[in-house]
């Protein structure tokens, strides 16, 4: 499968506080990657960092390291975190009009009612491109994702699996504990 985006040794620090570091992965066409974990700021910042890199915009963190390389002919659509149902609906309508093959979604179910969430689920399941998203809705994440990346401040745990399988895998759970409790 063709590479859509390659991330190598990515780190972002704001005001001496690490948002994330040691992030490396390759996303391929058709993967639907959920960014999960306790690090809400880091997950959202990773989405924003990917978008800024695609747009060649400067980063707004005090310290940033690493590289982000996009594959050929990548076209990005983005849905920022929204705070009203009306703005969520507008963002989703705008996304549908775009000819994109990589979606970056920051909490897309925030402020959506159940019928809209179900409509979004159907559209994302049918989307042939790559999706990188974060969302607090565990059911939504389980239905959409085929790859999970737990983003901690000091690295990540990456596995090609659904969310429920990810959460029930003992090796994964041990790796997550080590990310949040180093030295234990």
């Amino acid at each position: 499968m063709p590479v859509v985006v390659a991330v190598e040794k990515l780190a972002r620090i704001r005001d001496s506080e690490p948002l994330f570091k040691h992030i490396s992965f390759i996303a391929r066409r058709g993967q639907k990657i959920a960014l999960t974990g306790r690090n809400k700021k880091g997950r959202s910042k990773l989405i924003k960092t990917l978008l800024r890199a695609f747009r060649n915009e400067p980063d707004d963190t005090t310290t940033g390291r690493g590289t982000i390389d996009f594959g050929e002919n990548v076209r990005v659509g983005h849905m920022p975190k929204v705070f009203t149902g009306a703005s969520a609906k507008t963002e989703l309508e705008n996304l549908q009009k775009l000819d994109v093959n990589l979606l970056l979604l920051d909490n897309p179910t925030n402020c959506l009612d159940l019928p809209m969430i179900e409509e979004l689920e159907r559209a994302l399941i049918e989307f042939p491109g790559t999706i990188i998203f974060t969302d607090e809705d565990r059911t939504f994440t389980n239905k959409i994702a085929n790859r999970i990346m737990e983003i901690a401040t000091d690295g990540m745990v990456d596995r090609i699996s659904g969310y429920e399988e990810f959460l029930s895998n003992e090796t994964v759970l041990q790796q997550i504990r080590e990310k949040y409790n180093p030295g234990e």
Side-chain angles (χ1 to χ4, degrees):
M1 288 187 290
V3 171
V4 174
V5 62
V7 174
E8 185 69 31
K9 298 179 183 172
L10 200 61
R12 292 296 181 267
I13 299 168
R14 178 180 289 142
D15 301 326
S16 301
E17 178 187 335
L19 297 170
F20 56 80
K21 56 186 175 179
H22 309 299
I23 303 295
S24 297
F25 65 91
I26 294 174
R28 298 186 181 280
R29 185 176 60 210
Q31 290 184 323
K32 294 174 167 87
I33 302 168
L35 307 179
T36 64
R38 297 179 233 168
N39 184 5
K40 292 179 185 182
K41 286 182 187 177
R43 295 184 331 226
S44 287
K45 183 59 185 175
L46 181 52
I47 297 278
K48 291 174 189 166
T49 299
L50 293 169
L51 181 64
R52 286 177 180 269
F54 180 77
R55 292 179 176 169
N56 289 316
E57 295 175 352
D59 199 302
D60 63 349
T61 54
T62 53
T63 305
R65 294 184 306 279
T67 61
I68 302 171
D69 295 310
F70 290 90
E72 286 187 36
N73 302 315
V74 172
R75 299 172 314 280
V76 174
H78 172 250
M79 181 175 173
K81 188 172 187 175
V82 294
F83 299 98
T84 68
S87 59
K89 187 174 180 181
T90 300
E91 289 290 340
L92 289 172
E93 288 169 354
N94 291 339
L95 272 181
Q96 290 175 337
K97 297 174 188 173
L98 301 175
D99 177 26
V100 300
N101 53 17
L102 172 60
L103 291 173
L104 301 174
L105 309 174
D106 191 354
N107 288 290
T109 65
N110 193 37
C111 301
L112 293 181
D113 60 18
L114 186 56
M116 283 293 297
I117 291 172
E118 291 170 345
E119 184 179 326
L120 177 61
E121 286 172 355
R122 281 190 295 277
L124 295 179
I125 289 167
E126 293 173 7
F127 180 69
T130 303
I131 304 169
I132 301 175
F133 73 99
T134 184
D135 202 277
E136 300 303 316
D137 184 331
R138 189 171 172 162
T139 301
F140 174 83
T141 299
N142 197 49
K143 286 182 180 179
I144 304 303
N146 58 21
R147 181 175 178 185
I148 310 297
M149 289 186 211
E150 175 93 7
I151 306 297
T153 54
D154 190 21
M156 61 186 271
V157 177
D158 184 4
R159 185 171 182 91
I160 294 176
S161 74
Y163 193 43
E164 292 301 323
E165 180 185 340
F166 181 85
L167 293 174
S168 64
N169 183 290
E170 283 302 318
T171 302
V172 166
L173 295 175
Q174 180 59 36
Q175 292 170 337
I176 290 170
R177 281 190 292 273
E178 290 169 3
K179 291 292 175 201
Y180 290 106
N181 304 306
E184 283 188 13

